[in-house]
Amino acid sequence: FAGDYSPPLTLRFRSSAAMVFRVASLLCLTFSASATHKDVDGVVNSTQQVISALQEKGGVAKKRFANVSEFNQKLDEIGNRVEADFDAQLYSEKMDDFAELARRASEKAKQSSSSTNASIAEELGEEAEAALRNMTKVGFEVDSMEKDLHDKLHDALAAKLDPEVGVADQFKSEASHLQKKAHSTMDPLYSW
């Protein structure tokens, strides 16, 4: 009787169910480990490719923008050419005229205010106003020359700088894209 003992059916069924569960779990872990290993390898390889592309772009950008002093020298040459085209003699003459007209306007205004003769005071006042109008006209001419110089210099420098800034912006955009791609490539690792 003791040797013929068999556990009740429910106990045997539970033992078999537990054994099946253990085997199934072991198989799942085995298959998922190999699948996970392949997934990790794929992510690592993809990420390495993106990082390599990013390093390559960085090297190209570094080489492109390595010689800043040469670029600054080119900008200086542009400035010197624009300055050479500027009529410095005429500008100097206009500045002298402006100063002389300002001095004359001030002098005539003082004489007008100190004159005791009304007709002479009026005449001196008109001369002061005429000198002031001429001074304003010359001032506008000087301002126009300065603006013209500024605009020519700005345009010449922009013609040299804008393409370089565009290339730098393109490198930045590509690097940002590659960085985002590297992060998204690694996203599957964070979901496990």
Side-chain angles (χ1 to χ4, degrees):
F1 191 100
D4 285 350
Y5 175 76
S6 73
L9 185 60
T10 57
L11 185 58
R12 274 189 286 168
F13 182 70
R14 283 188 202 154
S15 296
S16 295
M19 177 86 94
V20 169
F21 178 73
R22 282 189 211 124
V23 169
S25 296
L26 180 63
L27 287 173
C28 283
L29 287 174
T30 303
F31 287 125
S32 68
S34 66
T36 302
H37 182 68
K38 289 177 187 174
D39 291 343
V40 169
D41 284 345
V43 168
V44 168
N45 289 335
S46 296
T47 304
Q48 183 58 43
Q49 289 173 354
V50 172
I51 289 171
S52 294
L54 188 57
Q55 289 171 335
E56 182 182 328
K57 286 288 179 189
V60 171
K62 187 175 181 179
K63 184 177 178 183
R64 170 79 188 251
F65 300 111
N67 198 345
V68 175
S69 62
E70 181 181 321
F71 190 74
N72 283 339
Q73 183 179 4
K74 289 178 182 178
L75 294 177
D76 286 342
E77 289 169 7
I78 290 169
N80 291 336
R81 277 195 308 266
V82 170
E83 184 181 14
D85 291 341
F86 183 71
D87 192 346
Q89 180 64 36
L90 179 62
Y91 182 80
S92 178
E93 289 170 6
K94 292 212 177 274
M95 290 300 291
D96 290 344
D97 290 347
F98 183 85
E100 176 57 31
L101 289 166
R103 185 196 62 71
R104 188 180 316 153
S106 175
E107 180 183 308
K108 295 297 180 182
K110 285 179 187 175
Q111 290 173 355
S112 173
S113 66
S114 65
S115 177
T116 55
N117 185 331
S119 63
I120 292 176
E122 185 177 339
E123 186 179 315
L124 289 170
E126 288 174 6
E127 288 178 24
E129 286 179 19
L132 187 59
R133 280 192 301 274
N134 288 336
M135 183 182 82
T136 302
K137 179 183 171 201
V138 171
F140 285 139
E141 291 170 358
V142 167
D143 289 344
S144 176
M145 289 181 76
E146 289 173 350
K147 183 182 181 321
D148 187 49
L149 174 65
H150 173 271
D151 291 348
K152 285 180 181 178
L153 182 60
H154 179 270
D155 292 347
L157 291 174
K160 181 66 176 172
L161 286 171
D162 287 349
E164 294 299 311
V165 170
V167 170
D169 285 345
Q170 184 65 32
F171 278 123
K172 178 184 174 197
S173 175
E174 289 173 5
S176 177
H177 170 73
L178 287 170
Q179 184 179 20
K180 288 176 185 174
K181 187 174 179 181
H183 284 289
S184 68
T185 303
M186 292 186 295
D187 282 348
L189 295 177
Y190 297 116
S191 65
W192 292 324

